[in-house]
Amino acid sequence: MEDPPSIQQLRQPYAESNESHEDNQGRLLRERSEVIERNPAQGLPRSPSEPVRHDVFFGHVYLLAIASMFATWFVIFLHTEAPSIKRPLGDTIYTTLHGSFHLLGIYTLVSIFVGLFWLAALRSYVRQLVFGILLLVPIVLYSFALYPFISSFQGRWKGHSTQDNAMRWGSLLPFTMASLWVVAVIRGRLAMQKAVAIVEFATKILAANPALLVVGFATLGAIIGFTWIWLSMFTRVFLGGHRMSSAVLRFAIDASTWWVGIYFILVYLWTISVMFGLQRTITSATVSQWYFHRFAVPAPTSQTIAKAAITHSLTILFGTVALFTGLSLLVRLPLLVLPRRLTMLLGVAMYSFIPSPLATLINPLTLTYAAIHSQPLAVSSRGLSQLHFLAPTDATTSLHPNTFNQQQRRDGWSADTTPLLPYRLAKLLLHATRFIMSLALGFGGWVSTARSLKLAGADGVRGSLYAYVVGLIAGAIGWGILGAMEGVLACIVDAVVVCWSSEVGSSGTGQVRYCREAGYLFGKDEDDRPVSLA
């Protein structure tokens, strides 16, 4: 590949005298550069009249959804009144959430501490932390499988309420995940050393681009701030109802309130996903610049690259991020819940709207590819599907472990030497702490609220039937906060694998010129021997 992705060319790379690597992608990039004017300070594509923006309609849809949520809350605020001590509402979602603010605040602080400690330890003691995670994950998950199961037989309902039955069935989730973890580690034990090396390589890229750490902290702050603003608004929504009797503490929630609550939840999930998507695009653009142009003279600073990537993500790619996150939110759950025939019909409907395979559209690597090559989502999904080293055929995972096409076999890949396995194990190791904290906070908040929350006006009575709402929000807090810290390294790993696959796939020779470390970690060395990661 003669020309790396031009969108990341913040400075002109060193001259190449070898013309034998010219290919179709290089020619397309040069043709595009003739009609797109670059900003010499940032290297971002500029049109003579206005910036080029991709999928801009969906960015407007997302902003409209946010504005509608705030407008709806303002109307609800004007037409509702908070209950007084003399006239409590009893056991409702409002009183349960309002009484759990202290618990959720503690969980937020714990999540921040764990996330920062995890990132600091991972930068300094990678191997020790990774092998500690391998051992601690099943222990913690099996413990949290027993915790709600045993607690479901306690409390004032003595295990006979609907919530107690849900706890018993819900305990199967951490038990199943712990078992799957053990199976995955056993099956991938031969590739574990290379997976750890991938994580170490990501920490070295982070050390070379310290601005990505600032981006992670900014994402963390944005998630925490928006979560608590949204939580105060979401709690107020459930004042929409009426008292069933003045003598009995019973409050009936209106049917319309439930629909408004669902809308608030969808907008919250979409917003958090957009924040993660922006972190991914900023990181991908920065890593792409490092991958292809780190030896350029003079080299731009990490802050310069990050500022250009932020501007690029908030303007040109904002609509693409909104489209990708919206599709993922609307499609992933039906793919897991609906029958296969309905899933196929959904895929056909989406293909008529956006002519690209549905599984590829919602693959996180597609958004990474879009950030690196500065393309719309549909174009990026087709480009990613042409990289035969990546096989995004599963809608629930980034890569499918059992996909080996004929080109891979001709290149000498087999089920034991596939580059997908170390990559997937590295992502699994990075996801582990996030999953543990989310489940721990979710089940902890659920059980403690169901057993210990003291409701206003209910003397001597503890526990709420709506404790599951607190558990879901606590799990979402842990998922968002740990996700911001995990994304610092996980997005680097995704960006490197896409850069490597783009280089190898476009060169036609399978050789790596820009980053030999990536060639060893994700592929095979020419002599099938490890190369130095120094």
PDB file of all heavy atoms in Angstrom, residues 144-145 148-149 166-178 443:
ATOM      1  N   PHE A 144     -21.295 -14.270  42.920  1.00  0.00           N
ATOM      2  CA  PHE A 144     -22.493 -13.475  42.678  1.00  0.00           C
ATOM      3  C   PHE A 144     -23.624 -14.298  42.067  1.00  0.00           C
ATOM      4  O   PHE A 144     -24.734 -13.801  41.926  1.00  0.00           O
ATOM      5  CB  PHE A 144     -22.170 -12.283  41.784  1.00  0.00           C
ATOM      6  CG  PHE A 144     -21.688 -11.105  42.557  1.00  0.00           C
ATOM      7  CD1 PHE A 144     -20.334 -10.883  42.735  1.00  0.00           C
ATOM      8  CD2 PHE A 144     -22.576 -10.234  43.151  1.00  0.00           C
ATOM      9  CE1 PHE A 144     -19.879  -9.800  43.465  1.00  0.00           C
ATOM     10  CE2 PHE A 144     -22.140  -9.152  43.886  1.00  0.00           C
ATOM     11  CZ  PHE A 144     -20.779  -8.932  44.051  1.00  0.00           C
ATOM     12  N   ALA A 145     -23.351 -15.529  41.713  1.00  0.00           N
ATOM     13  CA  ALA A 145     -24.440 -16.446  41.373  1.00  0.00           C
ATOM     14  C   ALA A 145     -25.105 -16.976  42.641  1.00  0.00           C
ATOM     15  O   ALA A 145     -26.330 -17.174  42.686  1.00  0.00           O
ATOM     16  CB  ALA A 145     -23.916 -17.592  40.520  1.00  0.00           C
ATOM     17  N   PRO A 148     -27.437 -13.712  45.042  1.00  0.00           N
ATOM     18  CA  PRO A 148     -28.880 -13.459  44.878  1.00  0.00           C
ATOM     19  C   PRO A 148     -29.719 -14.715  45.079  1.00  0.00           C
ATOM     20  O   PRO A 148     -30.880 -14.615  45.505  1.00  0.00           O
ATOM     21  CB  PRO A 148     -28.983 -12.939  43.435  1.00  0.00           C
ATOM     22  CG  PRO A 148     -27.789 -13.493  42.746  1.00  0.00           C
ATOM     23  CD  PRO A 148     -26.706 -13.552  43.772  1.00  0.00           C
ATOM     24  N   PHE A 149     -29.157 -15.890  44.798  1.00  0.00           N
ATOM     25  CA  PHE A 149     -29.939 -17.121  44.984  1.00  0.00           C
ATOM     26  C   PHE A 149     -30.260 -17.340  46.458  1.00  0.00           C
ATOM     27  O   PHE A 149     -31.401 -17.651  46.826  1.00  0.00           O
ATOM     28  CB  PHE A 149     -29.150 -18.309  44.419  1.00  0.00           C
ATOM     29  CG  PHE A 149     -29.890 -19.615  44.524  1.00  0.00           C
ATOM     30  CD1 PHE A 149     -30.859 -19.941  43.586  1.00  0.00           C
ATOM     31  CD2 PHE A 149     -29.628 -20.505  45.553  1.00  0.00           C
ATOM     32  CE1 PHE A 149     -31.552 -21.152  43.680  1.00  0.00           C
ATOM     33  CE2 PHE A 149     -30.306 -21.707  45.658  1.00  0.00           C
ATOM     34  CZ  PHE A 149     -31.275 -22.028  44.710  1.00  0.00           C
ATOM     35  N   ALA A 166     -37.483 -13.915  40.361  1.00  0.00           N
ATOM     36  CA  ALA A 166     -36.587 -13.328  39.361  1.00  0.00           C
ATOM     37  C   ALA A 166     -35.138 -13.378  39.828  1.00  0.00           C
ATOM     38  O   ALA A 166     -34.218 -13.579  39.016  1.00  0.00           O
ATOM     39  CB  ALA A 166     -37.005 -11.885  39.073  1.00  0.00           C
ATOM     40  N   MET A 167     -34.893 -13.197  41.128  1.00  0.00           N
ATOM     41  CA  MET A 167     -33.526 -13.301  41.649  1.00  0.00           C
ATOM     42  C   MET A 167     -32.968 -14.705  41.453  1.00  0.00           C
ATOM     43  O   MET A 167     -31.799 -14.880  41.087  1.00  0.00           O
ATOM     44  CB  MET A 167     -33.508 -12.951  43.138  1.00  0.00           C
ATOM     45  CG  MET A 167     -33.585 -11.472  43.448  1.00  0.00           C
ATOM     46  SD  MET A 167     -33.400 -11.180  45.218  1.00  0.00           S
ATOM     47  CE  MET A 167     -33.722  -9.427  45.283  1.00  0.00           C
ATOM     48  N   ARG A 168     -33.796 -15.698  41.715  1.00  0.00           N
ATOM     49  CA  ARG A 168     -33.307 -17.068  41.569  1.00  0.00           C
ATOM     50  C   ARG A 168     -32.967 -17.380  40.125  1.00  0.00           C
ATOM     51  O   ARG A 168     -31.942 -18.010  39.834  1.00  0.00           O
ATOM     52  CB  ARG A 168     -34.361 -18.044  42.112  1.00  0.00           C
ATOM     53  CG  ARG A 168     -34.417 -18.081  43.624  1.00  0.00           C
ATOM     54  CD  ARG A 168     -35.253 -19.248  44.120  1.00  0.00           C
ATOM     55  NE  ARG A 168     -36.684 -18.992  43.961  1.00  0.00           N
ATOM     56  CZ  ARG A 168     -37.435 -18.378  44.868  1.00  0.00           C
ATOM     57  NH1 ARG A 168     -36.886 -17.949  45.998  1.00  0.00           N
ATOM     58  NH2 ARG A 168     -38.718 -18.197  44.666  1.00  0.00           N
ATOM     59  N   TRP A 169     -33.821 -16.965  39.208  1.00  0.00           N
ATOM     60  CA  TRP A 169     -33.518 -17.197  37.795  1.00  0.00           C
ATOM     61  C   TRP A 169     -32.384 -16.304  37.312  1.00  0.00           C
ATOM     62  O   TRP A 169     -31.561 -16.695  36.477  1.00  0.00           O
ATOM     63  CB  TRP A 169     -34.777 -16.951  36.948  1.00  0.00           C
ATOM     64  CG  TRP A 169     -35.778 -18.053  37.048  1.00  0.00           C
ATOM     65  CD1 TRP A 169     -36.948 -18.040  37.748  1.00  0.00           C
ATOM     66  CD2 TRP A 169     -35.691 -19.343  36.454  1.00  0.00           C
ATOM     67  NE1 TRP A 169     -37.606 -19.236  37.629  1.00  0.00           N
ATOM     68  CE2 TRP A 169     -36.856 -20.058  36.832  1.00  0.00           C
ATOM     69  CE3 TRP A 169     -34.763 -19.972  35.635  1.00  0.00           C
ATOM     70  CZ2 TRP A 169     -37.106 -21.363  36.411  1.00  0.00           C
ATOM     71  CZ3 TRP A 169     -35.015 -21.283  35.220  1.00  0.00           C
ATOM     72  CH2 TRP A 169     -36.159 -21.958  35.604  1.00  0.00           C
ATOM     73  N   GLY A 170     -32.313 -15.081  37.849  1.00  0.00           N
ATOM     74  CA  GLY A 170     -31.232 -14.177  37.450  1.00  0.00           C
ATOM     75  C   GLY A 170     -29.868 -14.645  37.895  1.00  0.00           C
ATOM     76  O   GLY A 170     -28.853 -14.278  37.285  1.00  0.00           O
ATOM     77  N   SER A 171     -29.810 -15.461  38.960  1.00  0.00           N
ATOM     78  CA  SER A 171     -28.515 -15.972  39.412  1.00  0.00           C
ATOM     79  C   SER A 171     -27.875 -16.895  38.387  1.00  0.00           C
ATOM     80  O   SER A 171     -26.675 -17.180  38.473  1.00  0.00           O
ATOM     81  CB  SER A 171     -28.690 -16.703  40.743  1.00  0.00           C
ATOM     82  OG  SER A 171     -29.540 -17.835  40.590  1.00  0.00           O
ATOM     83  N   LEU A 172     -28.652 -17.372  37.425  1.00  0.00           N
ATOM     84  CA  LEU A 172     -28.083 -18.224  36.380  1.00  0.00           C
ATOM     85  C   LEU A 172     -27.174 -17.432  35.438  1.00  0.00           C
ATOM     86  O   LEU A 172     -26.295 -18.021  34.798  1.00  0.00           O
ATOM     87  CB  LEU A 172     -29.205 -18.884  35.568  1.00  0.00           C
ATOM     88  CG  LEU A 172     -30.074 -19.907  36.307  1.00  0.00           C
ATOM     89  CD1 LEU A 172     -31.191 -20.397  35.399  1.00  0.00           C
ATOM     90  CD2 LEU A 172     -29.220 -21.077  36.788  1.00  0.00           C
ATOM     91  N   LEU A 173     -27.388 -16.104  35.337  1.00  0.00           N
ATOM     92  CA  LEU A 173     -26.584 -15.297  34.425  1.00  0.00           C
ATOM     93  C   LEU A 173     -25.110 -15.284  34.809  1.00  0.00           C
ATOM     94  O   LEU A 173     -24.253 -15.641  33.986  1.00  0.00           O
ATOM     95  CB  LEU A 173     -27.151 -13.876  34.352  1.00  0.00           C
ATOM     96  CG  LEU A 173     -26.370 -12.887  33.475  1.00  0.00           C
ATOM     97  CD1 LEU A 173     -26.335 -13.356  32.034  1.00  0.00           C
ATOM     98  CD2 LEU A 173     -26.989 -11.497  33.567  1.00  0.00           C
ATOM     99  N   PRO A 174     -24.730 -14.883  36.043  1.00  0.00           N
ATOM    100  CA  PRO A 174     -23.300 -14.943  36.378  1.00  0.00           C
ATOM    101  C   PRO A 174     -22.753 -16.360  36.390  1.00  0.00           C
ATOM    102  O   PRO A 174     -21.578 -16.567  36.082  1.00  0.00           O
ATOM    103  CB  PRO A 174     -23.237 -14.291  37.767  1.00  0.00           C
ATOM    104  CG  PRO A 174     -24.600 -14.379  38.314  1.00  0.00           C
ATOM    105  CD  PRO A 174     -25.522 -14.303  37.145  1.00  0.00           C
ATOM    106  N   PHE A 175     -23.584 -17.348  36.751  1.00  0.00           N
ATOM    107  CA  PHE A 175     -23.117 -18.737  36.722  1.00  0.00           C
ATOM    108  C   PHE A 175     -22.770 -19.162  35.296  1.00  0.00           C
ATOM    109  O   PHE A 175     -21.726 -19.781  35.048  1.00  0.00           O
ATOM    110  CB  PHE A 175     -24.190 -19.653  37.308  1.00  0.00           C
ATOM    111  CG  PHE A 175     -23.790 -21.103  37.336  1.00  0.00           C
ATOM    112  CD1 PHE A 175     -23.059 -21.610  38.397  1.00  0.00           C
ATOM    113  CD2 PHE A 175     -24.150 -21.958  36.310  1.00  0.00           C
ATOM    114  CE1 PHE A 175     -22.682 -22.948  38.430  1.00  0.00           C
ATOM    115  CE2 PHE A 175     -23.779 -23.284  36.321  1.00  0.00           C
ATOM    116  CZ  PHE A 175     -23.042 -23.787  37.386  1.00  0.00           C
ATOM    117  N   THR A 176     -23.634 -18.808  34.340  1.00  0.00           N
ATOM    118  CA  THR A 176     -23.377 -19.167  32.942  1.00  0.00           C
ATOM    119  C   THR A 176     -22.158 -18.428  32.405  1.00  0.00           C
ATOM    120  O   THR A 176     -21.320 -19.016  31.697  1.00  0.00           O
ATOM    121  CB  THR A 176     -24.611 -18.849  32.090  1.00  0.00           C
ATOM    122  OG1 THR A 176     -25.752 -19.531  32.616  1.00  0.00           O
ATOM    123  CG2 THR A 176     -24.397 -19.267  30.644  1.00  0.00           C
ATOM    124  N   MET A 177     -22.029 -17.146  32.742  1.00  0.00           N
ATOM    125  CA  MET A 177     -20.887 -16.372  32.253  1.00  0.00           C
ATOM    126  C   MET A 177     -19.580 -16.892  32.833  1.00  0.00           C
ATOM    127  O   MET A 177     -18.559 -16.938  32.134  1.00  0.00           O
ATOM    128  CB  MET A 177     -21.075 -14.896  32.612  1.00  0.00           C
ATOM    129  CG  MET A 177     -22.222 -14.228  31.900  1.00  0.00           C
ATOM    130  SD  MET A 177     -22.311 -12.462  32.236  1.00  0.00           S
ATOM    131  CE  MET A 177     -20.780 -11.908  31.529  1.00  0.00           C
ATOM    132  N   ALA A 178     -19.577 -17.305  34.106  1.00  0.00           N
ATOM    133  CA  ALA A 178     -18.370 -17.869  34.703  1.00  0.00           C
ATOM    134  C   ALA A 178     -17.973 -19.162  34.000  1.00  0.00           C
ATOM    135  O   ALA A 178     -16.788 -19.408  33.730  1.00  0.00           O
ATOM    136  CB  ALA A 178     -18.589 -18.111  36.193  1.00  0.00           C
ATOM    137  N   PHE A 443     -26.388  -6.734  40.740  1.00  0.00           N
ATOM    138  CA  PHE A 443     -26.982  -7.657  41.701  1.00  0.00           C
ATOM    139  C   PHE A 443     -26.893  -7.108  43.127  1.00  0.00           C
ATOM    140  O   PHE A 443     -27.808  -7.320  43.935  1.00  0.00           O
ATOM    141  CB  PHE A 443     -26.291  -9.016  41.620  1.00  0.00           C
ATOM    142  CG  PHE A 443     -26.772  -9.862  40.476  1.00  0.00           C
ATOM    143  CD1 PHE A 443     -26.050  -9.963  39.309  1.00  0.00           C
ATOM    144  CD2 PHE A 443     -27.970 -10.551  40.576  1.00  0.00           C
ATOM    145  CE1 PHE A 443     -26.494 -10.738  38.249  1.00  0.00           C
ATOM    146  CE2 PHE A 443     -28.435 -11.327  39.518  1.00  0.00           C
ATOM    147  CZ  PHE A 443     -27.696 -11.426  38.352  1.00  0.00           C
TER     148      PHE A 443
END
